[in-house]
Amino acid sequence: EAGVAQSPRYKIIEKRQSVAFWCNPISGHATLYWYQQILGQGPKLLIQFQNNGVVDDSQLPKDRFSAERLKGVDSTLKIQPAKLEDSAVYLCASSYGITSGSETQYFGPGTRLLVL
Amino acid sequence: EDKVVQSPLSLVVHEGDTVTLNCSYEVTNFRSLLWYKQEKKAPTFLFMLTSSGIEKKSGRLSSILDKKELFSILNITATQTGDSAVYLCAPRAGGTSYGKLTFGQGTILTVHP
């Protein structure tokens, strides 16, 4: 079974530039999550999708971050404009779904973002 | 606000030692607790605990949950250098929080040969 795919793996940009990350979840997984992990901290949930609907985006800085999952499969996360404090690893995870009884989230390899 | 505290923050041991990692939590609508291992890449799933007092075991790793005292422990016996990693615990909420995971800051385990 293929795992969660993410691209790019690394990205270096200057502040005020924009950047986009892509995630393809495990086949059949209805729920998709984006996390931000700052060095030395645990992952923090940014947004959760159930199919193509947003379930929780309470911790997403909506003035600069946006995310979509238009067809209920892959997803993109965008930052515009980027700030220095956005430097982090952005992790995508997926699970079968909140009503399936299988709650385990499986993580992709992450995108390491450095904002200069 | 949900809170997760892991201790110790870091631990250095020698191969063959046994370690105990702690996780205490305060989560609204608690449903389950997950443990992950993170090396220099994505977190990999170790255990999911839903019931108090029932030990889950996988090889040299075991974990238990106490829902009354709101904590979990992860034990690793006969540690090996390959166990060196960050160990993350993440309580999972139910209800209207739709399964949200709240991660602790992690315990950094270093195992020396």
Side-chain angles (χ1 to χ4, degrees):
Chain A
E1 179 182 80
V4 177
Q6 289 189 248
S7 67
R9 295 295 308 277
Y10 303 93
K11 191 75 178 178
I12 301 174
I13 61 173
E14 294 188 350
K15 60 183 179 184
R16 290 189 289 274
Q17 286 187 321
S18 63
V19 64
F21 313 128
W22 175 82
C23 171
N24 193 35
I26 293 172
S27 178
H29 280 194
T31 310
L32 185 147
Y33 312 80
W34 282 102
Y35 290 87
Q36 179 193 58
Q37 187 173 23
I38 292 171
L39 189 64
Q41 299 180 19
K44 182 183 86 170
L45 180 69
L46 292 176
I47 189 166
Q48 176 182 344
F49 292 95
Q50 176 75 4
N51 296 309
N52 61 350
V54 175
V55 171
D56 185 347
D57 62 358
S58 57
Q59 298 189 95
L60 186 74
K62 297 181 187 64
D63 57 334
R64 298 183 301 105
F65 286 65
S66 64
E68 59 183 16
R69 194 185 184 201
L70 292 175
K71 296 182 180 177
V73 180
D74 56 349
S75 175
T76 55
L77 176 70
K78 295 179 183 176
I79 308 175
Q80 182 179 14
K83 293 186 174 181
L84 297 177
E85 58 261 36
D86 298 332
S87 294
V89 176
Y90 290 85
L91 295 164
C92 179
S94 69
S95 65
Y96 274 107
I98 56 177
T99 58
S100 71
S102 178
E103 305 172 352
T104 304
Q105 294 181 24
Y106 297 91
F107 285 81
T111 296
R112 189 175 297 273
L113 173 68
L114 179 60
V115 182
L116 301 175
Chain B
E1 185 179 319
D2 294 343
K3 192 164 80 170
V4 182
V5 177
Q6 292 187 243
S7 64
L9 290 181
S10 66
L11 196 51
V12 180
V13 300
H14 287 95
E15 274 193 320
D17 289 349
T18 293
V19 299
T20 298
L21 311 182
N22 304 292
C23 174
S24 65
Y25 63 89
E26 293 176 29
V27 170
T28 305
N29 290 320
F30 175 84
R31 184 179 172 104
S32 59
L33 186 141
L34 286 74
W35 282 96
Y36 285 86
K37 176 183 181 182
Q38 186 173 30
E39 297 169 271
K40 291 185 180 180
K41 47 188 177 180
T44 54
F45 172 75
L46 294 175
F47 296 110
M48 183 172 72
L49 305 159
T50 54
S51 302
S52 272
I54 298 175
E55 185 183 54
K56 288 222 170 174
K57 204 167 166 62
S58 175
R60 296 177 293 102
L61 277 66
S62 63
S63 185
I64 198 161
L65 175 68
D66 186 328
K67 293 198 316 191
K68 183 179 175 187
E69 300 297 329
L70 306 183
F71 78 88
S72 175
I73 60 172
L74 175 68
N75 281 316
I76 308 175
T77 59
T79 51
Q80 302 171 356
T81 54
D83 296 327
S84 295
V86 177
Y87 290 84
L88 297 163
C89 86
R92 188 179 189 276
T96 56
S97 295
Y98 290 100
K100 173 184 172 182
L101 287 179
T102 302
F103 282 87
Q105 75 274 45
T107 292
I108 303 171
L109 174 64
T110 304
V111 182
H112 288 308

